Amino acid sequence: MAMNVMDGNVVTNNKLTLPAVVDAENPGALPCGVVDDDDDLSQRANWLRAAVLGANDGLVSTASLMLGVGAVKADARAMVISGFAGLLAGACSMAIGEFVSVCSQRDVELAQLDRDGKRGGQEEKALPSPVQAAAASALAFSVGALVPLLAAGFIRDYRLRVGVVIALATATLAAFGCVGAVLGRAPVVRSCARVVFGGWVAMGVTFGLMRLFKATGI
């Protein structure tokens, strides 16, 4: 293998290889122009995990709300209207909360960039967008909330409607648990069981308490 050195560059088999530029203050940093694929994959996984959690929240809260209303009133229209109201309220709440949270985080990081004299550079462009975060959170919540809504919207029989909502919510929660486990590199069975059990508790408590209110006439 022929190797020559020309002006600091290395020529190997007639191929010119540029030397890596190393940051003297941070020897562990990547060379200029090199993007860490692991960091990019980690960021995408975090976004997807957040989306799964948002959809999980939408599913559990909306299904619990619909079952709670169904425990008092067997009318399908009442369940669907309550679920749709829960979807709108929850999506708005999630969006506003995420917007405020990301804005606060962005203000802190911008202040740090000002102190470091790096304002207006690539670091500022890489900061998360509050609007995008809010939209993603609202969308994820809405997707999860649509599952029980679609399950109950076309079934007239009360018992069948409640059973279908619970069954479909359980299956979807199990899927969310699997995705979250894969992204977090956690045991799949344990994660699925935890997510499903938590959903059952929320739906069961809501349904049971509303049944109690109906029975006692409160």
Side-chain angles (χ1 to χ4, degrees):
M1 177 178 66
M3 179 182 296
N4 297 318
V5 178
M6 299 176 57
D7 297 331
N9 299 329
V10 178
V11 180
T12 305
N13 292 336
N14 297 326
K15 294 182 179 180
L16 179 63
T17 304
L18 297 178
V21 180
V22 180
D23 188 349
E25 297 181 356
N26 186 13
L30 291 172
C32 295
V34 177
V35 179
D36 192 345
D37 292 337
D38 291 338
D39 289 344
D40 184 59
L41 182 60
S42 176
Q43 291 178 1
R44 293 181 182 180
N46 288 334
W47 273 97
L48 185 55
R49 187 183 298 112
V52 171
L53 291 176
N56 182 83
D57 289 342
L59 171 60
V60 173
S61 61
T62 304
S64 299
L65 177 60
M66 294 176 64
L67 290 175
V69 172
V72 178
K73 191 173 183 179
D75 184 26
R77 186 170 182 271
M79 288 184 65
V80 173
I81 290 177
S82 65
F84 187 69
L87 184 155
L88 294 177
C92 291
S93 177
M94 293 285 289
I96 293 172
E98 191 71 14
F99 183 84
V100 172
S101 176
V102 175
C103 280
S104 300
Q105 175 188 352
R106 186 180 177 88
D107 290 341
V108 172
E109 295 185 2
L110 286 176
Q112 182 62 45
L113 291 178
D114 284 334
R115 288 191 292 269
D116 296 340
K118 298 180 180 179
R119 187 69 179 267
Q122 293 296 327
E123 292 83 356
E124 182 176 352
K125 295 180 181 180
L127 294 179
S129 168
V131 176
Q132 290 181 354
S137 181
L139 179 61
F141 185 94
S142 300
V143 169
L146 282 175
V147 173
L149 274 174
L150 294 177
F154 304 99
I155 301 176
R156 293 185 177 182
D157 183 74
Y158 171 72
R159 293 181 180 273
L160 180 60
R161 183 168 64 251
V162 171
V164 169
V165 169
I166 296 175
L168 190 56
T170 300
T172 309
L173 286 172
F176 288 162
C178 290
V179 174
V182 171
L183 294 176
R185 297 179 180 179
V188 175
V189 176
R190 184 186 304 173
S191 177
C192 289
R194 183 167 53 242
V195 172
V196 171
F197 180 74
W200 282 352
V201 170
M203 291 184 288
V205 168
T206 306
F207 185 86
L209 289 178
M210 295 304 295
R211 265 299 188 197
L212 180 62
F213 289 162
K214 179 182 180 181
T216 57
I218 298 177

